[in-house]
Amino acid sequence: MVRPDWLAQKYSQVTMIDNDHVAVLNGNYLVDIPLQFNTDSSYVFYLNAKIPVGLFKESLGFYPELKQFILIVPDWKFYAEVSKMAAMKGMCVEPETTNFYYFIRREEDHVKVDRARLGGLENPLLDFDKSAVPDDMLTVYRKESYGSVCCPRDPMWDIADQDSSFIRGFEEKNKFKVTTGRYIQMQGKEGENSIYYTLPGLTTLQRLQFLLEKRAQWSLNRAAKKMPPSPKLFTPQLFQLITIGFNRFEKML
């Protein structure tokens, strides 16, 4: 196969997505890796966990702030076939490194995907990223925003009073807290605000469980609350922690 021109010979700061970073529940996934991005740059991810590639193409799921990225996926089927053949012949065979490469570009209302499969020395060299989250950034798993209470009124205010009863019931049922590390940020003079859930101290699976139940609770459509939503891939986002001024982040009780 001709090597595509969008594929470099080497990539530095590749992000490894391993099983330790991933939780799955009812076909939904959380990749629990907080990352700081320059949204105009291209990023590279190596998928060492079994997550359907199609979920990475959803523009509102996997790091929605990214405009484009490359996803590297091992050819697991090829590796399994080589292993099976070797076992049948009583041999010990080391298959050559073989990966699929997906170049995913998000352009307004659609997503473009190019794909390549390379083996052996055709594969780019990879250096993996070990960067940490800056101290002045918040790792946020869910952000909920309310618009104006008037002029015109944001319909999300009609379900705002459900939040406290939902949170109380969720914590009593599951025996872990989701209100720790919760912040509110005022964003306008007509009540506009955003609420940020940082979910410290929880496992990746507990975080995913909360995200799924909160997503259902926060739907305005009563019929939609009862319908199983499409599977989604969740990722955290980083936000600059603002400590002074009107739009500062304030911890909620």
Side-chain angles (χ1 to χ4, degrees):
M1 179 177 179
V2 177
R3 186 186 183 88
D5 56 8
W6 49 263
L7 198 59
Q9 296 293 332
K10 179 179 180 179
Y11 290 104
S12 58
Q13 296 184 314
V14 177
T15 299
M16 169 71 78
I17 302 175
D18 227 332
N19 287 319
D20 292 344
H21 307 130
V22 176
V24 57
L25 186 61
N26 299 327
N28 298 274
Y29 296 80
L30 170 60
V31 174
D32 203 349
I33 306 176
L35 297 171
Q36 187 174 20
F37 297 114
N38 176 352
T39 55
D40 291 329
S41 299
S42 184
Y43 290 83
V44 182
F45 300 88
Y46 187 96
L47 181 60
N48 201 41
K50 300 296 179 64
I51 303 176
V53 172
L55 292 179
F56 289 85
K57 302 173 185 178
E58 298 293 332
S59 59
L60 296 180
F62 182 74
Y63 300 111
E65 61 267 47
L66 286 182
K67 295 180 180 178
Q68 64 181 38
F69 61 92
I70 290 175
L71 181 69
I72 306 173
V73 184
D75 189 341
W76 299 114
K77 182 179 179 181
F78 167 71
Y79 292 155
E81 290 173 349
V82 171
S83 178
K84 181 179 179 181
M85 179 192 68
M88 291 174 59
K89 296 184 177 182
M91 303 168 58
C92 182
V93 177
E94 183 71 26
E96 71 173 5
T97 300
T98 305
N99 296 318
F100 289 104
Y101 296 82
Y102 299 87
F103 183 31
I104 300 175
R105 288 160 290 172
R106 296 161 172 169
E107 301 179 358
E108 296 180 357
D109 59 346
H110 65 282
V111 177
K112 289 185 177 181
V113 181
D114 291 324
R115 191 184 83 158
R117 179 181 182 271
L118 299 177
L121 296 178
E122 286 294 314
N123 287 284
L125 297 176
L126 305 178
D127 289 333
F128 290 94
D129 183 34
K130 296 181 180 179
S131 60
V133 176
D135 291 337
D136 62 345
M137 303 291 285
L138 282 179
T139 298
V140 175
Y141 292 89
R142 181 173 176 85
K143 174 185 176 184
E144 296 179 343
S145 296
Y146 296 88
S148 174
V149 295
C150 64
C151 316
R153 176 181 172 85
D154 183 350
M156 296 311 300
W157 283 108
D158 297 336
I159 63 170
D161 59 355
Q162 298 177 10
D163 283 350
S164 58
S165 59
F166 167 81
I167 293 293
R168 184 169 58 252
F170 182 90
E171 292 183 335
E172 290 176 355
K173 178 179 68 174
N174 296 289
K175 309 305 179 186
F176 59 83
K177 293 187 69 66
V178 295
T179 51
T180 303
R182 185 174 54 160
Y183 292 81
I184 187 169
Q185 180 189 35
M186 301 306 298
Q187 295 173 323
K189 296 182 179 180
E190 295 177 352
E192 300 95 333
N193 70 74
S194 290
I195 296 173
Y196 303 83
Y197 289 88
T198 65
L199 306 180
L202 303 187
T203 67
T204 299
L205 183 58
Q206 288 171 336
R207 288 167 176 157
L208 178 57
Q209 182 181 353
F210 172 72
L211 293 176
L212 293 177
E213 294 194 31
K214 197 66 169 73
R215 177 177 63 168
Q217 179 265 327
W218 225 56
S219 173
L220 283 171
N221 189 318
R222 292 182 180 274
K225 289 179 184 288
K226 300 178 182 180
M227 295 290 292
S230 299
K232 183 177 177 181
L233 175 57
F234 296 88
T235 52
Q237 290 181 278
L238 294 185
F239 288 86
Q240 186 77 40
L241 179 59
I242 301 172
T243 58
I244 59 174
F246 174 78
N247 62 338
R248 65 187 179 274
F249 285 72
E250 295 185 342
K251 279 193 175 182
M252 299 178 66
L253 299 178

